[in-house]
Amino acid sequence: MRAPIGIRIRNQRKTLALSQAGLARSIGISPSYLNLIEANKRDVGGKLLQRIATALDLGIEQLTGENEQRLIQDLVESFNDPVLRDVEIEGNDARELVAQFPNIAAALVRLYRAYVDANSSLEVYANRLSADPLFSELLHQVLSQITAVRSSAEILEETSDLSQVEQGRFLNAIGREARAMSEVAQTLIGHFDQTADTRASIMPARELDDLIIEEGNHFPILEEVADKLRSQLEETGGFGEAELAVLLERQFAIKVERGGMPEATARGFPEQYRFDANKRVMSFQGTTVAATRQFQLARLYAELAVPDILNDHIDDRRLTSPTARRLAFRALGSYLAGAIVLPYSAFLEDAEQSQYDVDYLGHKYTASFEQVAHRLVTLRRKQDEGIPFGFLRSDPAGRLTKHFPLPGLLLPSSGHACPLWPIYGAFRATDQVVRQVVQFTDGSRYLFVAKTVSKRLATFKDRPFHSSVMLACDVLHAHRTVYGQGLDINDIEADVPVGPACRLCVRSACAHRQEEALDPSGGDATVRAPLVPRRFELGEND
Amino acid sequence: MTIDVLIAEDEPGILESLDFILKRAGWSVRAVTDGDAVLKSIKSLMPRVVVLDIMLPKQSGFEVLERIRASDTMRDVPVLILTAKGQQQDKRLAEELGADAFVTKPYANAEVVEAVRQLLDKERG
């Protein structure tokens, strides 16, 4: 999974007609070490990579090739789809296609996504027809009404000696049932309109993902704005939930209310918070944790204080629909909130001093594990960056619900990840940090750190809902983190052998495989043997 | 007191027409609109046939049928089930629980009358 950074360094050096010794001298390392880097035999990152990028007159992302890597992975995934199983595609074809025709590669990926989305919609409709309780209820109503109409009509038609009263009774019944049927028909239409809306939201979410990833999950203008807003807030005497509430009332006449009852729906809505723009009230449940309250107040304040800045950011050609722009407005509002609650310079300094102890940073800034973890991913300011982290969140069913990839390590954007990753192990050790050094099949190694999180306090009636959040960094940075302590990073034998996700993983002998790998080069893709290793044959173990 | 047919159906439009066509066929008919009332009425009215809808409030038609077949006093009463078109699973389950006959909604009135007539004939024979 590691990006061929060394090859890019060598190519660019040659393009600039620089000697290996000359470049090595200008960046302060030995020619032999540069030779190892160029041969991809040594990892390079952080400030050294920045120095190399500057010397070669390139952006750091051009060297790490993050966008290309994502494109390659997306292409490989699409080539592995059973629909293309008869097409002979060599292992290196995706890489060469991206290198030679990047726009065509991007177009292919976009087409594949549209195809996947269309298939997903079909599944949604099929499930809806067979299992949707509302649809089932509406169908029952329609059948009952048709039965009543048909039966009443037959009585009117076939019974010659009906009295006036009886005729009136059955005519009325037909009229009543027909009116009821038209109401059901309208409800049905509304139901399918809603389904269409849900379907339309699949692509906008991907567009937003792409935009954030292409920007390296760092938005310099938003960082500047966040620093100014934080200063304004601190002028009120400090920074916290109380100060945010005071400023929201003073500047925007917004009241903040908190529920007292423990039930999730005590305030008449199921979420942890709700802002009523008409009444100008921000409401929280009684069980909402302080970190969520502070974060959401900061987001509301940012959205109201600098809507123009946010609107400028979402006026982007990569966001092609109003839904995508609305999602982006929310996501960038959250980015601003994170940057206000966890201001860049102070937070980076604290992160370095505490060796990236996420729990400690959370206590210091009244922030949740997830908020801190997400903020760590955004510390990518040029010349002043933190450890490069990737981020992943999973729901209790194992589905990935949020992701920010790391150059070289491309985290799955949806579905399920490798079952051996600690993001799942964390569910077995609720509220404890689980760490693990993992090794991929290409030999690349990463430190994974995961913990379960909950956005609300649990009560007897209101059961806790946990997600799991995971940070990932190159194992080279493990010693800079508190999570590397006590680990023998050089003991490769102790690494957990993992893959990206079962269907993209080439470890054919893995005993933990949950889904058959999709292999374009061989094997019968129509034969799937979930839950058993690939080489396992029925009857073999007798 | 005994009656010929007990109808269990909660949709007023269907109930009204069922009541009419079955009385018109010459049978004594009573009607109830929920699952609890079916079981009580079978005990007190001892109907010769029960016309039972599946989607009933309080207790579904399935639950009612299960209780009828588990009861020493009610187990032999013939039951005609009203199912919905396309709901084959419902039909299979009702068969397993001991339903005697089925009519699928939306039905023709003559189908219901004929099905009830056959059950009454069988019961008499």
Side-chain angles (χ1 to χ4, degrees), chain A residues 87-113:
Chain A
V87 182
E88 284 185 25
I89 297 169
E90 299 295 326
N92 225 21
D93 285 355
R95 192 172 293 277
E96 285 179 17
L97 183 65
V98 170
Q100 291 185 37
F101 306 106
N103 289 339
I104 291 177
L108 275 178
V109 166
R110 196 173 290 188
L111 275 175
Y112 179 68
R113 283 182 187 175

Side-chain angles (χ1 to χ4, degrees), chain B residues 37-108:
Chain B
V38 185
L39 295 167
K40 280 184 200 157
S41 300
I42 293 176
K43 283 176 190 161
S44 61
L45 300 172
M46 297 169 62
R48 292 169 60 207
V49 169
V50 176
V51 176
L52 182 62
D53 181 37
I54 285 176
M55 303 282 274
L56 284 177
K58 295 189 180 172
Q59 288 191 53
S60 74
F62 295 128
E63 289 170 290
V64 170
L65 182 57
E66 198 170 16
R67 283 168 197 266
I68 291 173
R69 293 299 178 236
S71 153
D72 288 340
T73 54
M74 298 187 282
R75 69 160 55 119
D76 295 328
V77 62
V79 176
L80 167 66
I81 294 283
L82 301 179
T83 62
K85 191 171 175 62
Q87 302 294 312
Q88 289 304 312
Q89 269 182 319
D90 285 358
K91 192 174 174 183
R92 274 197 293 275
L93 181 55
E95 262 174 343
E96 283 170 22
L97 292 173
D100 295 281
F102 300 88
V103 170
T104 306
K105 294 178 184 174
Y107 49 72

Side-chain angles (χ1 to χ4, degrees), chain A residues 140 150-151 154 159 161 169, chain B residues 16-17 20 24 55 106 109:
Chain A
H140 170 71
R150 178 177 178 181
S151 186
E154 281 183 13
T159 318
D161 57 344
R169 214 172 85 203
Chain B
E16 196 169 7
S17 59
F20 179 84
R24 184 91 183 171
M55 303 282 274
N109 290 343

Side-chain angles (χ1 to χ4, degrees), chain A residues 57-177:
Chain A
D57 200 20
L58 287 176
I60 210 162
E61 68 286 347
Q62 288 170 280
L63 279 181
T64 58
E66 185 182 342
N67 293 343
E68 279 180 24
Q69 279 294 310
R70 245 171 8 92
L71 200 51
I72 291 168
Q73 172 145 328
D74 285 349
L75 270 182
V76 168
E77 189 181 341
S78 60
F79 292 163
N80 282 343
D81 195 288
V83 79
L84 294 176
R85 66 174 173 270
D86 298 331
V87 182
E88 284 185 25
I89 297 169
E90 299 295 326
N92 225 21
D93 285 355
R95 192 172 293 277
E96 285 179 17
L97 183 65
V98 170
Q100 291 185 37
F101 306 106
N103 289 339
I104 291 177
L108 275 178
V109 166
R110 196 173 290 188
L111 275 175
Y112 179 68
R113 283 182 187 175
Y115 160 76
V116 169
D117 284 344
N119 269 353
S120 305
S121 301
L122 274 180
E123 267 181 50
V124 167
Y125 281 121
N127 287 337
R128 178 140 285 172
L129 288 172
S130 63
D132 186 315
L134 176 60
F135 186 79
S136 171
E137 171 61 24
L138 292 173
L139 195 63
H140 170 71
Q141 284 181 26
V142 168
L143 275 171
S144 295
Q145 286 150 358
I146 290 174
T147 306
V149 168
R150 178 177 178 181
S151 186
S152 298
E154 281 183 13
I155 289 169
L156 285 168
E157 195 179 44
E158 294 167 6
T159 318
S160 54
D161 57 344
L162 274 184
S163 69
Q164 288 280 338
V165 175
E166 284 170 333
Q167 280 185 22
R169 214 172 85 203
F170 288 110
L171 279 171
N172 278 341
I174 291 173
R176 187 181 65 228
E177 297 297 336

